[in-house]
C-alpha cells in the first residue's frame, strides 16, 4: 500500500515542478524521485571523464544516442557539481529513466568499486517523506487543548538565546498571533492557499516545526527559511546551493533543524549535491539535526544518514519517531543503526496557522483500512479516517474538508526532529553551554530510557513537557 501513496505524491510534486520532468525509481519499488535525462557529476576533470565515458558507452549500446550527452549547467559553483544531460527529459514515462540508468552503469563499470562515485541521479530532496509526504496530514486541534510538548517554563533572554535555523517551508503570515512564536523570524510562505482559498498541502510545515522548537526550548532565536518553497521539494543540485545561501544570509547557527531528505541510488554513500556543504559543516561548530524519514525502512535516508559516517558523527544527529505513547517506534519511522536517537513524533500538537485567519483544508490522501506498514495499533495510516482527492477519483468532487484555526495534530520524523533540536538547545541555554555538538553528546550520554523499534532497544529522548497519549490496539475481528 505504501507505493500507492508514493505515486499519489509523485503526481502532486510533478505538478508543482512543471519545468522539471521527474521519474520515480529505481524501478517499480519507487524508492525515490529524480530528474529525468540528467545525471549529477563532480565539476572539473570528473565531469569531462563522465561525458567521455557515457558517450563511448552510448555509442556501443543499441538504442542510446551519444549525441545527446552534454553539460546543461557547466558553471562552477560552491556545490562542486554539474548536471550532464544524457537523454531528452521529455522522452518516456515516469516509471524510471533507462538512459540515466545506463549512464550510471557506464560509470560503475569505469569506476569499479570506488567508495565515492563520481556520478549519481539528481535526486529530489523532499519534506521527510512517507514515500514522499509527512507521516500523515494535519488534523485540527482545539486551542483549549494546548500544545504537546507544552511550553517549557524558561524565559527568553536575547543575550543567551540559542540560534536555531529551520530549513523548511515558510511561515504563515499571522504566525505571531501565537505568543510562543514571538521570538521566531524568517521567510513568509509565498502562497498559503490555492485558487479556491484552500490551504496548500505543505504550507504550515515550517510554522509547526518552529512551534515545537519554541515549546521545548523557549530561550531560542528561531529563524525559519522558506528554502523548500511551499511544496516542500527541490532538486539535489539546487539544494546544496540553497544551504550555502542560507548560512551566507544568516551565518552558521548553533543548530540547523532539517526535516527533509531522500533515499538514493543503491550504493551511494551520501549526496553529491550536498558533499561540499557537508564538508564545510564539518569544519564549523554547527550541529545538523536531521529527520530520519518516514518510509518505514532501514534504507539510509540522507542527509540524516551522514550521522553514521565517522567524519560526520559529531556534526550530524539523525532522529527517528516514537509513537504517541513514547514506548515504541511509530509505524512510519525509518530505523537502523544510522538513526542515532528517537523522540515523540506521532500526533504532536503545534501551531499550523496563526489564530487570526481560519483557513479550510481539503485532504489529499485517503487513510487506509489497515496500517500500510503492517502494524496492529490505531496508527496515523488509519485514524482519523478521511477521504482524499488524490487517492480516489470517486471522492474527487467532494473530498473531506476541515478548518484550521491555529493548532493541529501532525505526525512524522519531521516533528521528532525539532523535539531533539529543542532539547539540545534547552540544555545549552540552561547550562551556558556554547558548543552544540558537546551539548548533543552530553544529552545522548545521559539517556537512561529506551524504546523498542522493530525489535531493537534504541535511545529515546522525551522532553519533560511532552505528554504521552495511550495507544489503542483494535480488538480482533470476531
Amino acid at each position: 500500500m505504501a507505493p500507492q501513496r508514493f505515486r499519489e505524491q509523485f503526481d502532486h510534486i510533478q505538478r508543482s515542478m512543471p519545468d522539471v520532468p521527474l521519474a520515480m525509481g529505481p524501478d517499480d519499488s519507487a524508492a525515490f524521485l529524480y530528474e529525468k535525462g540528467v545525471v549529477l557529476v563532480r565539476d572539473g576533470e570528473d565531469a569531462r571523464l563522465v561525458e567521455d565515458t557515457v558517450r563511448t558507452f552510448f555509442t556501443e549500446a543499441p538504442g542510446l544516442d551519444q549525441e545527446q550527452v552534454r553539460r546543461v549547467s557547466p558553471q562552477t559553483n560552491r556545490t562542486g557539481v554539474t548536471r550532464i544531460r544524457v537523454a531528452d527529459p521529455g522522452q518516456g514515462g515516469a516509471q524510471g529513466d533507462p538512459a540515466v540508468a545506463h549512464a550510471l552503469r557506464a560509470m560503475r563499470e569505469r569506476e569499479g568499486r570506488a567508495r565515492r562515485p563520481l556520478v549519481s541521479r539528481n535526486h529530489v530532496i523532499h519534506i521527510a517523506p512517507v514515500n514522499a509526504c509527512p507521516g500523515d496530514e494535519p488534523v485540527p486541534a482545539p486551542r483549549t487543548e494546548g500544545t504537546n510538548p507544552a511550553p517549557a517554563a524558561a524565559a527568553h533572554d536575547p543575550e543567551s538565546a540559542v540560534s536555531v535555523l529551520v530549513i523548511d517551508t515558510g511561515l504563515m503570515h499571522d504566525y505571531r498571533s501565537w505568543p510562543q512564536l514571538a521570538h521566531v523570524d524568517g521567510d513568509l510562505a509565498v502562497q498559503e492557499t490555492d485558487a479556491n482559498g484552500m490551504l496548500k498541502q505543505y504550507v504550515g510545515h515550517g510554522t509547526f516545526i518552529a512551534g515545537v522548537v519554541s515549546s521545548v526550548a523557549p530561550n531560542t532565536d528561531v529563524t525559519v527559511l522558506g528554502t523548500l518553497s511551499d511544496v516542500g521539494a527541490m532538486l539535489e543540485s539546487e539544494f546544496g546551493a540553497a544551504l550555502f545561501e542560507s548560512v551566507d544570509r544568516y551565518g552558521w547557527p548553533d543548530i540547523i533543524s532539517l526535516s527533509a531528505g531522500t533515499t538514493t541510488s543503491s550504493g551511494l554513500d551520501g549526496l553529491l549535491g550536498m558533499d561540499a556543504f557537508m564538508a564545510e559543516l564539518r569544519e564549523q561548530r554547527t550541529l545538523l539535526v536531521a529527520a530520519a524519514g518516514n518510509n518505514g525502512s532501514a534504507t539510509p535516508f540522507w542527509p540524516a544518514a551522514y550521522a553514521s559516517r565517522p567524519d560526520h558523527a559529531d556534526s550530524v544527529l539523525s532522529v527517528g519517531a516514537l509513537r504517541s505513547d513514547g514506548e515504541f517506534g511509530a509505524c512510519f519511522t525509518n530505523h537502523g543503526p544510522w538513526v542515532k536517537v528517537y523522540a515523540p513524533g506521532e500526533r504532536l500538537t503545534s501551531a499550523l496557522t496563526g489564530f487570526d485567519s481560519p483557513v479550510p483544508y481539503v485532504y489529499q490522501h485517503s487513510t487506509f483500512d489497515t496500517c500500510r506498514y503492517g502494524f496492529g495499533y490505531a496508527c496515523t495510516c488509519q485514524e482519523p479516517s478521511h477521504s482524499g482527492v488524490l487517492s480516489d477519483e470517486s471522492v474527487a468532487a467532494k473530498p473531506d474538508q476541515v478548518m484550521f484555526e491555529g493548532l493541529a495534530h501532525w505526525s512524522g520524523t519531521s516533528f521528532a526532529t525539532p523535539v531533539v533540536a529543542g532539547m539540545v538547545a534547552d540544555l545549552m541555554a540552561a547550562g551556558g553551554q556554547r558548543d552544540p555538538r558537546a551539548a548533543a553528546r552530553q544529552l545522548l550520554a545521559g539517556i537512561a530510557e529506551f524504546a523498542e523499534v522493530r525489535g531493537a532497544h534504541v535511545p529515546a529522548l522525551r522532553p519533560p513537557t511532552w505528554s504521552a497519549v495511550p495507544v489503542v490496539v483494535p480488538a480482533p475481528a470476531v
Side-chain angles (χ1 to χ4, degrees), residues 22-47:
L22 300 177
M24 61 183 80
D27 47 42
D28 194 48
S29 63
F32 48 77
L33 309 178
Y34 62 98
E35 184 181 14
K36 286 179 63 179
V38 169
V39 295
L40 204 58
V41 61
R42 301 181 196 280
D43 283 334
E45 292 297 325
D46 289 347

Side-chain angles (χ1 to χ4, degrees), residues 135-443:
D136 62 354
E137 290 179 86
V139 177
R143 299 188 197 183
T144 54
E145 182 177 310
T147 63
N148 188 18
H156 180 265
D157 173 17
E159 298 300 319
S160 61
V162 176
S163 58
V164 180
L165 188 63
V166 175
I167 297 176
D168 207 87
T169 62
L171 293 158
M172 297 297 287
H173 74 279
D174 56 348
Y175 74 94
R176 287 191 185 274
S177 61
W178 192 40
Q180 273 178 250
L181 295 179
H183 304 291
V184 172
D185 205 348
D187 301 330
L188 296 180
V190 175
Q191 186 177 1
E192 297 180 357
T193 58
D194 63 17
N196 297 316
M198 299 292 175
L199 186 70
K200 297 180 74 174
Q201 186 168 3
Y202 296 118
V203 175
H205 194 266
T207 305
F208 194 99
I209 287 172
V212 173
V213 174
S214 299
S215 293
V216 176
N219 195 16
T220 49
D221 287 329
V222 180
T223 303
V224 179
L225 300 188
T227 306
L228 290 165
S229 69
D230 300 330
V231 298
M234 178 180 284
L235 288 174
E236 175 185 342
S237 57
E238 299 173 356
F239 189 62
L243 292 174
F244 276 121
E245 291 171 5
S246 298
V247 295
D248 286 347
R249 181 177 167 191
Y250 287 100
W252 287 89
D254 295 314
I255 298 168
I256 295 175
S257 181
L258 177 62
S259 294
T262 181
T263 55
T264 63
S265 310
S266 177
L268 275 186
D269 183 20
L271 296 167
L272 287 185
M274 284 192 65
D275 263 4
F277 179 83
M278 297 305 295
E280 190 159 330
L281 170 71
R282 191 171 55 239
E283 304 305 316
Q284 303 293 328
R285 54 184 290 278
T286 298
L287 175 71
L288 172 62
V289 184
N294 308 325
N295 299 312
S297 169
T299 302
F301 183 84
W302 304 90
Y306 279 99
S308 64
R309 285 177 36 168
D311 55 341
H312 285 292
D314 203 41
S315 58
V316 181
L317 183 55
S318 50
V319 183
L322 300 175
R323 70 187 193 184
S324 56
D325 63 1
E327 299 298 325
F328 295 87
C331 69
F332 52 77
T333 188
N334 283 347
H335 50 91
W338 55 275
V339 183
K340 298 306 178 183
V341 71
Y342 293 77
E346 189 176 69
R347 299 187 176 103
L348 297 185
T349 310
S350 182
L352 181 77
T353 65
F355 292 153
D356 294 342
S357 305
V359 60
Y361 178 76
V362 170
Y363 281 104
Q364 301 296 301
H365 307 284
S366 297
T367 46
F368 296 93
D369 294 332
T370 59
C371 175
R372 61 185 181 271
Y373 300 108
F375 282 70
Y377 75 102
C379 64
T380 58
C381 298
Q382 311 163 69
E383 295 187 6
S385 176
H386 52 253
S387 297
V389 66
L390 296 177
S391 301
D392 188 348
E393 292 182 1
S394 67
V395 302
K398 194 174 181 180
D400 288 338
Q401 179 177 319
V402 292
M403 183 70 71
F404 285 105
E405 299 180 278
L407 295 178
H409 302 303
W410 212 349
S411 305
T413 59
S414 278
F415 313 121
T417 297
V419 168
V420 172
M423 292 184 73
V424 174
D426 191 56
L427 181 62
M428 291 178 65
Q433 171 68 265
R434 300 315 302 172
D435 182 346
R437 299 179 184 182
R441 290 193 298 269
Q442 181 182 342
L443 190 65

